[in-house]
Every structure is written in C-alpha cells, then in structure tokens.
C-alpha cells in the first residue's frame, strides 16, 4: 500500500528545473518507493545495492551510464561516487531536465562530492519519515501561526486525543509501520538500528566501535528536546567532546536528529550558544530508550520531551515537504528563560511554546516578552538595522480547539500542525 507523500509536488518542480534530482534522507523513509511510484514505469531503475551494478558503476562509470541510459532512477548513489563526474558529462551533453533521479543517504562526504561535481545541475530534496498530515491524509503546508490558516485547518484535520497522539509518538513515522501486514514495531526498529550501524556507520563513516556508537545513540535519544552539553555526553559515553561533536554531525547529516541553533541578535545580550537537540523520529528514540508502550511513555518522566520533539519534527517536516529550509530557532538565555521554537520568516519572529497540557494559560507565553528588545533596538543601544518584528505567537498543546490566549497569542491543538 502506497501512502501519498506531501513532497511529491516538490519532486516534480525540482525535476523540471534541474537535470539531476537527488532525494536524500534516512533509511526506510520511502525514497525509492516514492520515486518509482512517480516514475510510473516511464524511466529505468537500478540500485547500487546490487553488487554487480555497483561493481560496474565503480569500475567503468561510462559503460554503466550507457547501460542505464536516462531517464533513469539510480538508487543508493553513495555507494558509487565515481559516477558523479560522468553524470556531469552526460547532463552537460544532453541538457535535459529530469534525466537522472538519484537517492542516497545524506552522509556529509557524499554530499560534498555531489555539490562539487554537480554544482548548478542538481536539486537536492530531503525526505523524512511520514508526517502526521500524510498519515491522516490531510493537506500539508508549511506551519505558520497565522490565525486564518489555523482556522482553516482546525475544520479539516482529524482530532486526536492524548492517547492517539502518544500512540503516534510511540510508533513514529516509518512508512513500513503504517501498511497492511506491518512488521512488529520492536523487530522493525531492531533491524533498522542494525542496518544503520553496519552499513551507514561502519561502511560510510569508518566509526571504529559500533557498540560505543550505539551507546552514544541511546544517550542522545535521552537528551531529545534538550540543549546539547558536549562534555556531559562525552562523560556518559566515555569518549572525548570533539568525538561527540563529530558523531552528532553524523546523526545530523543522516537526518536522525536536528540541531536547532539559538536565535541570535545583537540586541539580545544574554542568549546561550548551545544548540537544541531533537530526535526526528520519536518512534526510534522510544525504541532506543526501551519504552514498552505508548501508555508507559505518556506516563513516564520523558513524556514532555517526547511531545516537544514530536511537535518540532512535524513543523520541521512541513517545511521540508514544501521544498523549503525550515526557518527554525529556539531561545534560551542565561536567566534560563526559554522559548521552545522560533520561526523566522520575512523579517518577523513567531514564538511557539510546546506544552503537554490541555488548557495552558497566560503563564505559557510569559517568556515571549524577552523578544521585545528586537522590535526597538535603538532603545537598547543597538542599530536600527537590527530591528525584527515579533508576530503571532502560539502554544501548541493537547487542547481540543483553537482558542485565543490574548490579542497576540493562540492555543493551537497539536493535531492542527
């Protein structure tokens, strides 16, 4: 059973713009399935998972591209980077849009090769696991706090109660878990982690100790929705802080986690510089931390963290699926005042608080006022050019309906995203 993906329009647009389309993302998120479904048997297909195809691609790239002439899908391009210069020659010769559709894991060294070899010729799209809108078959659009948009969505998005939301959080968004005859969740994630460690980590990044990396992965999962303190992670795993930074970059480039940068403005003097960490698939994080059910997760000590990361990932996916870089930041200062998520669009900051509560009050938006100096920089000894507007705020929570808190802030049910 194929679940239509919100990113399909972006794929069509990029394919009409560039000779090469590269669809990247974590394992098992449906990259190949998506492109094969969209190709409708109108282009060839080859996977470099096949040892014979991989050998040909690495030993004789020119002959490989003769055998698999465009239009064609080339799966798992990271296994044969030798193809990239020959793809450049082919697209420069033929000058046709959409000739090559590639898939690959977004490991940093593979991406460096793509951007260097195919600069100006490749459109790169990130695909993550299923979003809630895809699972519920609701129209996807980049999340904003605009009241008119929210009012239009609250009437069409299926309502979800606490139990339904935590079932979604516990299962995560891997497409294989949402089809008929879906595999057992724990068995699926056990295989997923094993494949990730053995193929992506060992084969592509030369991490020497897989078990230490697995321990690192679980320690990181326990810090979802928390600022990164490299020294703490280093002590707990038994590695150096520089190794923590290197391994976190691997998780970021393979789209296991997102590191959200703190919003910085010269007017805001006391902002901390630590990035905020979010696991992008809460099902995988719950598996790594051995939560046995959605009920125990919801009642557990990490319940709020998982809810925050799930909401963040839904916002994050809504931008990626539209072909946009997510304009997300967060705020935390030395006085421990925090704003969970900030969207920066068109010179305006939109503050978003994420609360596992059904009826949050004005207390939930009390820290939004820390942004006031950016609207009047000259009053705080900064230049006028640092002025930023502060727009509509939101508290994303377990509410049943969309309701105003005050003139500038609204309560937004999590299922509306």
């Amino acid at each position: 059973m194929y679940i239509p993906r919100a990113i399909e329009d972006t794929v069509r647009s990029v394919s009409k713009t560039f000779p090469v389309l590269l669809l990247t993302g974590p394992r098992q998120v449906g990259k190949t399935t998506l492109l094969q479904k969209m190709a409708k048997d109108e282009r060839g297909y080859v996977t470099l998972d096949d040892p014979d195809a991989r050998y040909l691609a690495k030993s004789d790239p020119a002959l490989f591209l003769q055998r698999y002439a465009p239009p064609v899908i080339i799966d798992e391009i990271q296994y044969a980077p030798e193809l990239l210069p020959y793809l450049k020659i082919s697209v420069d010769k033929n000058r046709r849009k959409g000739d090559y559709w590639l898939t690959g894991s977004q490991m940093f060294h593979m991406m460096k090769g793509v951007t260097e070899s195919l600069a100006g010729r490749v459109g790169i799209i990130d695909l993550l696991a299923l979003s809630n809108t895809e699972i519920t078959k609701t129209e996807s659009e980049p999340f904003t706090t605009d009241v008119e948009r929210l009012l239009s969505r609250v009437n069409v998005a299926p309502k979800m109660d606490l139990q339904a939301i935590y079932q979604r959080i516990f299962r995560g968004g891997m497409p294989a878990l949402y089809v008929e005859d879906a595999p057992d969740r724990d068995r699926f994630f056990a295989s997923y982690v094993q494949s990730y460690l053995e193929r992506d980590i060992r084969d592509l990044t030369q991490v020497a100790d897989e078990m230490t990396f697995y321990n690192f992965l679980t320690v990181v999962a326990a810090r979802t929705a928390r600022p990164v303190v490299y020294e703490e992670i280093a002590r707990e795993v038994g590695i150096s802080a520089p190794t923590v930074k290197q391994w976190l970059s691997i998780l970021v480039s393979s789209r296991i986690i997102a590191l959200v940068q703190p919003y910085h403005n010269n007017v805001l003097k006391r902002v901390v510089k630590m990035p905020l960490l979010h696991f992008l698939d809460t099902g995988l994080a719950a598996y790594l931390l051995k939560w046995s059910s959605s009920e125990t997760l919801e009642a557990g000590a990490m319940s709020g963290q998982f809810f925050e990361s799930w909401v963040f990932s839904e916002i994050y996916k809504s931008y990626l699926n539209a072909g946009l870089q997510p304009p997300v930041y967060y705020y935390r200062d030395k006085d421990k005042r925090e704003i969970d998520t900030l969207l920066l669009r068109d010179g305006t900051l939109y503050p978003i608080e994420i609360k596992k509560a059904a009826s949050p009050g004005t207390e939930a938006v009390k820290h939004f006022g820390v942004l006031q100096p950016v609207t009047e920089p000259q009053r705080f000894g900064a230049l006028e050019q640092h002025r930023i507007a502060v727009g509509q705020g939101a508290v994303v929570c377990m509410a049943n309906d969309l309701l105003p808190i005050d003139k500038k802030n609204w309560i937004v049910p999590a299922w509306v995203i």
Side-chain angles (χ1 to χ4, degrees), residues 259-316:
L259 290 182
V260 187
Q261 297 304 315
Y263 176 72
H264 177 72
N265 184 298
N266 285 351
V267 187
L268 305 173
K269 306 291 187 182
R270 298 180 59 78
V271 175
V272 299
K273 296 181 180 180
M274 298 179 293
L276 182 69
L277 186 153
H278 282 293
F279 243 72
L280 289 172
D281 189 85
T282 51
L284 175 58
Y287 167 78
L288 289 166
L289 296 173
K290 303 298 187 284
W291 291 101
S292 60
S293 69
S294 59
E295 291 81 11
T296 56
L297 176 60
E298 187 277 320
M302 292 189 67
S303 177
Q305 285 174 250
F306 270 84
F307 179 66
E308 184 178 332
S309 283
W310 181 73
V311 169
F312 171 85
S313 69
E314 291 299 313
I315 293 172
Y316 196 81

Side-chain angles (χ1 to χ4, degrees), residues 9-54:
D9 285 344
T10 300
V11 171
R12 293 187 188 96
S13 175
V14 169
S15 188
K16 291 175 182 177
T17 307
F18 295 94
V20 182
L21 177 150
L22 173 61
L23 186 63
T24 71
R27 289 190 166 276
Q28 299 287 320
V29 296
K31 300 185 293 291
T32 305
T33 302
L34 167 65
L35 293 186
Q36 287 184 319
K37 191 73 176 179
M38 294 186 68
K40 299 176 182 176
D41 300 321
E42 294 174 0
R43 58 175 62 223
Y45 171 80
V46 59
T47 176
L48 298 179
D49 250 347
D50 181 328
D52 292 333
R54 189 190 309 188

